[in-house]
């Protein structure tokens, strides 16, 4: 879930009467105790208790959930600017990285611009971070079974000193007086009105009086970082996996870009892939094809399977072994076994005699239907 505006205004730990280092167990027991105490059933008609109960529930909904708690802690650590909010405001605000429009509105309100403001030129206001792309080498097995790994990327990230605001710690950017925080200025020339990027603030709508010493006011620094990537089972070679918000950092409160990881899957000496099915070619002898045989076939996940090759099987016939292909959350692909009649390059004299006897005994040419 995305950070909520109210996260910056509410201390859920305080609401539950625990410290922000409390264990999940402590939080749970504090919640249980308080929710019992203020439960509407125990306080009929008491509005204050009811409100308190709601607050407790809302707090537990976030810090009682491991994932949400992490996001909440992180959002509070970064502060409103770092998490993409311009500062405290009114009402709930759902922050989604795809929604620049809302951010534009947010900043518009913050800096006294009307919601129905003119379209901003590029470069004004919050900017979404760049999308990054990296390749990830995967073993055949890793791609089939899924794997959690890390990729190293070097990119611009939010400056660790100022959390991306560009302002010296302890100070904050202020609204640009030249453009009134709009990031653009209008020039009227006769009938025409031109908008241009504000030269004072460079379109950001904010000016930094005391620049951050680490990034010199840019809000970004270049750093190598490791990104944990969970590759789902069954990725294909060349597949792009999108990691939302793990790309370059947004500027001026804009959302982060995305990171695209392109899977490069190494070939396997025995197995091939066709979507969720694994493929393998298994040589059999002419005798096995003609007389039928039980043929042992290796699988990717270990234990071999035995397929029944019926008498009179032609070379190239494919047998399906259900469920032994690429594992999926629901079910699995199949293993497609193609048998291929192997012709020996050399025959022992005994074999030669046997084959010659077979040739002599064969009553009909397989080419009879060709009519030549
Ligand atoms: Zn300006
Ligand atoms: Zn900085």
């Amino acid at each position: 879930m995305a950070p909520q505006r109210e996260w910056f205004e509410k201390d859920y730990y305080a609401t539950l009467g625990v410290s922000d280092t409390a264990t999940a167990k402590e939080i749970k027991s504090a919640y249980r105790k308080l929710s019992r105490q203020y439960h509407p059933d125990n306080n009929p008609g008491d509005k204050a208790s009811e409100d308190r109960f709601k607050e407790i529930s809302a707090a537990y909904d976030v810090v009682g959930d491991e994932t949400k708690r992490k996001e909440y802690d992180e959002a509070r650590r970064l502060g409103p600017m770092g998490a993409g909010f311009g500062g405290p405001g009114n009402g709930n605000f759902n922050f989604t990285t795809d929604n620049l429009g809302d951010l534009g509105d947010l900043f518009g309100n913050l800096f006294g611009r009307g919601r129905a403001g003119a379209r901003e030129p590029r470069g004004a206001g919050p900017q979404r971070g760049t999308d990054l792309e990296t390749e990830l080498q995967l073993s055949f097995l890793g791609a089939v079974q899924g794997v959690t790994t890390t990729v190293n990327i070097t990119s611009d990230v939010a400056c660790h000193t100022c959390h991306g605001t560009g302002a010296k710690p302890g100070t904050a950017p202020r609204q640009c007086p030249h453009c009134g925080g709009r990031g653009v200025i209008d020039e009227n020339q006769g009938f025409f009105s031109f908008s241009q990027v504000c030269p004072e603030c460079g379109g950001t709508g904010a000016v930094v009086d005391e620049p951050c010493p680490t990034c010199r006011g840019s809000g970004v620094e270049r750093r190598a970082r490791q990104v944990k990537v969970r590759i789902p089972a069954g990725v294909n070679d060349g597949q792009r996996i999108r990691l939302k918000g793990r790309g370059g950092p947004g500027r001026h409160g804009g959302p982060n870009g995305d990171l695209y990881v392109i899977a490069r899957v190494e070939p396997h000496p025995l197995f091939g892939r066709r979507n969720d099915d694994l493929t393998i070619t298994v040589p059999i002898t002419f005798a096995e094809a003609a007389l039928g045989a039980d043929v042992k076939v290796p699988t990717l996940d270990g234990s071999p399977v035995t397929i029944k090759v019926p008498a009179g099987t032609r070379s190239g016939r494919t047998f399906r072994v259900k469920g032994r292909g690429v594992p999926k959350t629901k079910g699995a692909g199949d293993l497609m076994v193609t048998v291929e009649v192997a012709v020996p390059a050399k025959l022992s004299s005994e074999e030669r005699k046997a084959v010659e006897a077979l040739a002599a005994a064969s009553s009909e040419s397989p080419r009879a239907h060709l009519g030549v």
Side-chain angles (χ1 to χ4, degrees):
M1 103 181 259
Q4 311 289 306
R5 165 157 291 288
E6 61 192 18
W7 286 6
F8 303 106
E9 293 158 0
K10 291 192 175 145
D11 185 342
Y12 291 146
Y13 296 109
T15 303
L16 294 173
V18 295
S19 81
D20 59 4
T21 55
T23 63
K25 218 175 156 187
E26 288 165 350
I27 291 174
K28 193 174 185 177
S29 88
Y31 163 70
R32 284 221 172 128
K33 201 173 136 226
L34 289 171
S35 65
R36 219 175 300 129
Q37 189 181 339
Y38 292 101
H39 197 283
D41 289 352
N42 300 333
N43 305 275
D46 183 351
K47 180 88 174 72
S49 284
E50 190 188 323
D51 288 346
R52 182 92 173 87
F53 179 75
K54 279 181 189 157
E55 274 174 23
I56 293 159
S57 301
Y60 185 69
D61 182 54
V62 175
V63 296
D65 177 293
E66 200 191 335
T67 311
K68 284 190 206 167
R69 184 183 178 186
K70 264 190 204 138
E71 287 169 347
Y72 174 70
D73 289 346
E74 178 70 1
R76 282 165 60 87
R77 193 180 66 75
L78 292 176
M81 285 306 269
F85 295 102
N90 298 322
N92 294 339
F93 185 77
N94 274 319
F95 170 74
T96 63
T97 47
D98 289 334
N99 205 336
L100 265 176
D102 281 354
L103 275 173
D105 283 346
L106 171 72
F107 275 67
N109 290 341
L110 194 67
F111 291 143
R113 176 158 41 105
R115 279 183 84 89
R119 275 184 69 86
E120 301 139 281
R122 283 193 75 80
Q127 287 171 39
R128 187 175 177 275
T130 49
D131 288 341
L132 303 173
E133 202 175 87
T134 187
E135 290 194 353
L136 176 64
Q137 206 74 30
L138 290 170
S139 70
F140 189 86
L141 192 64
V144 165
Q145 297 182 335
V147 68
T148 298
T149 183
T150 51
V151 293
N152 296 304
I153 48 171
T154 302
S155 70
D156 290 341
V157 294
C159 168
H160 71 280
T161 306
C162 62
H163 304 303
T165 66
K168 190 175 152 185
T171 72
R174 66 185 164 85
Q175 179 184 317
C176 171
H178 191 66
C179 60
R182 292 182 59 214
V184 287
I185 47 172
D186 297 329
E187 265 176 63
N188 291 307
Q189 291 183 0
F191 290 111
F192 301 99
S193 167
F194 297 94
S195 284
Q196 66 175 66
V197 172
C198 171
E200 284 293 308
C201 61
T204 65
V207 283
V208 170
D209 294 320
E210 292 178 84
C212 161
T214 307
C215 62
R216 293 192 204 91
S218 70
V220 293
E221 61 178 332
R222 212 165 166 72
R223 236 191 304 165
R225 61 189 163 111
Q226 287 199 318
V227 176
K228 199 168 176 188
V229 188
R230 209 179 61 78
I231 303 294
V235 293
N236 285 301
D237 184 51
Q239 195 173 327
R240 276 156 59 100
I241 297 146
R242 178 173 175 233
L243 299 179
K244 204 172 172 184
R246 306 304 294 271
R251 296 262 202 133
H252 317 298
N256 291 344
D258 299 330
L259 172 63
Y260 289 92
V261 176
I262 301 167
R264 293 284 171 230
V265 183
E266 287 161 12
H268 193 279
L270 295 181
F271 296 96
R273 274 269 304 275
R274 210 183 302 127
N275 300 321
D276 292 342
D277 292 338
L278 292 174
T279 60
I280 188 170
T281 299
V282 174
I284 55 173
T285 65
F286 171 75
E288 286 171 328
L291 304 173
D294 288 345
V295 175
K296 231 182 193 185
V297 178
T299 61
L300 192 64
D301 56 6
S303 54
V305 289
T306 300
I307 59 165
K308 239 182 185 17
V309 175
T313 293
R314 64 173 173 79
S315 186
R317 181 168 168 192
T318 300
F319 297 86
R320 181 186 294 269
V321 181
K322 277 231 166 279
R324 299 303 289 269
V326 176
K328 288 283 178 180
T329 356
K330 275 185 186 167
D334 303 328
L335 175 62
M336 306 299 284
V337 183
T338 302
V339 294
E340 206 175 71
V341 173
V343 178
K346 261 188 182 167
L347 293 173
S348 66
S349 61
E350 212 170 316
E351 284 169 335
R352 174 169 289 277
K353 268 182 212 155
V355 174
E356 282 169 354
L358 172 67
S362 297
S363 50
E364 204 178 306
S365 162
R367 296 182 294 277
H369 68 288
L370 298 179
V372 287

